[in-house]
Amino acid sequence: MIRTVHASDIGRVRSVNEDSVWIGATRHGYTLGIIADGMGGHQAGETASRLALETMRNNLDGLEPELQDEALRDALSAAILEANSTVFREASGDDKYHNMGTTVVAVLLNGSNGYIGHIGDSRAYLIKDSAPVQLTEDHTLVNELFKNGQISVEELDNHPRRNVLTRALGTDAEVEVDIAPIALLPGEILLLCSDGLSNFVTNEHLGKVAGIHEISLEERADRLLQLALLAGGGDNISVALLEHHGEAAVPETKEWD
């Protein structure tokens, strides 16, 4: 069985929450989780993330049952690309949305196996025994500088251009999506988050809090939000947790809102 929870907070600085987050079951029982972190300023960023999330949910809700491997991968990739087209088209047709865009990190599971897709710097972590492993690679300028040996690992978190994205959803007519397989084992947790969490809470603390099996998944999500707020809450904060609980790996049926 896959247990899920999601939570979001505006933070202590921003006047609008430009993050959009949702997790639940599709019509035929796939588990779908999405976090989108909008950019473009207030209404534009909020619109971009909402459009991306809604487009993906609508696209994936009707998936036929029991898709396997490549079909599941292709479905997630196609949904993200359709979201890119939707946001780009909206931005191109209205001056107030000019250059708006969003990050996205999403997971699509059939039982406990599936795929993660992402664009931008929202992240996915696999947590086992309270130890986090980052599954996604940030599409940022500082990450490119680090990979090219131009800055050190210590400079990554404090570089003045650390928030500059090299890839985003909706800013261009075409975009490349990173897709990777994921298989959750009993006791393991998949954590999705916007950079409002990962920029303010260390990987060590992400793993320790998400891995506290003695408290509910809802309480773990709330504690993660509180840690980011205590660290300054300088951005919108969003998190989604998926926990493989026990041997069965079938998500609970849930009506969509």
Side-chain angles (χ1 to χ4, degrees):
M1 176 182 178
I2 302 294
R3 290 179 175 171
T4 66
V5 67
H6 64 277
S8 188
D9 193 283
I10 195 172
R12 300 192 185 280
V13 175
R14 303 294 177 88
S15 59
V16 174
N17 192 345
E18 296 180 86
D19 287 359
S20 294
V21 54
W22 186 88
I23 194 164
T26 70
R27 189 182 311 165
H28 293 298
Y30 299 101
T31 300
L32 174 64
I34 306 166
I35 289 180
D37 178 359
M39 60 188 192
H42 290 249
Q43 187 177 1
E46 184 182 16
T47 298
S49 67
R50 176 183 55 79
L51 282 174
L53 186 146
E54 289 177 352
T55 301
M56 291 179 63
R57 282 184 63 180
N58 291 336
N59 183 285
L60 294 168
D61 183 39
L63 283 184
E64 295 182 2
E66 299 307 320
L67 292 181
Q68 300 293 329
D69 300 330
E70 291 303 313
L72 207 63
R73 172 193 173 100
D74 291 347
L76 179 59
S77 179
I80 295 174
L81 291 175
E82 182 177 341
N84 183 77
S85 297
T86 299
V87 175
F88 181 76
R89 184 169 57 250
E90 190 75 15
S92 301
D94 193 324
D95 286 343
K96 69 182 178 184
Y97 296 144
H98 180 64
N99 282 337
M100 75 173 176
T102 183
T103 71
V104 67
V105 61
V107 62
L108 180 63
L109 297 177
N110 182 14
S112 57
N113 300 299
Y115 288 90
I116 295 167
H118 97 286
I119 300 172
D121 61 354
S122 293
R123 293 180 177 178
Y125 295 86
L126 178 66
I127 296 167
K128 180 179 181 180
D129 299 327
S130 297
V133 175
Q134 186 175 331
L135 302 177
T136 52
E137 181 178 320
D138 293 348
H139 300 140
T140 59
L141 175 62
V142 294
N143 192 47
E144 290 300 318
L145 294 174
F146 172 70
K147 289 194 297 181
N148 293 332
Q150 295 177 257
I151 62 174
S152 67
V153 66
E154 290 78 18
E155 293 176 284
L156 278 172
D157 293 335
N158 300 305
H159 195 279
R161 303 190 70 188
R162 66 185 178 132
N163 292 323
V164 176
L165 297 178
T166 56
R167 197 189 311 175
L169 185 153
T171 56
D172 296 287
E174 296 183 0
V175 70
E176 181 182 354
V177 183
D178 285 1
I179 301 283
I182 177 72
L184 285 177
L185 299 176
E188 292 183 341
I189 298 157
L190 180 64
L191 183 154
L192 309 180
C193 67
S194 62
D195 67 343
L197 183 67
S198 57
N199 281 347
F200 292 87
V201 180
T202 65
N203 286 4
E204 179 184 7
H205 283 106
L206 290 179
K208 284 184 176 179
V209 173
I212 304 174
H213 294 282
E214 292 77 17
I215 62 176
S216 70
L217 213 56
E218 289 78 8
E219 189 171 352
R220 282 177 257 173
D222 182 66
R223 287 192 185 187
L224 289 169
L225 294 186
Q226 294 305 318
L227 282 176
L229 290 170
L230 287 171
D235 200 351
N236 307 144
I237 313 155
S238 294
V239 61
L241 298 174
L242 302 88
E243 182 178 40
H244 190 323
H245 178 75
E247 295 303 317
V250 179
E252 295 180 8
T253 301
K254 172 180 176 179
E255 290 189 6
W256 288 34
D257 34 73

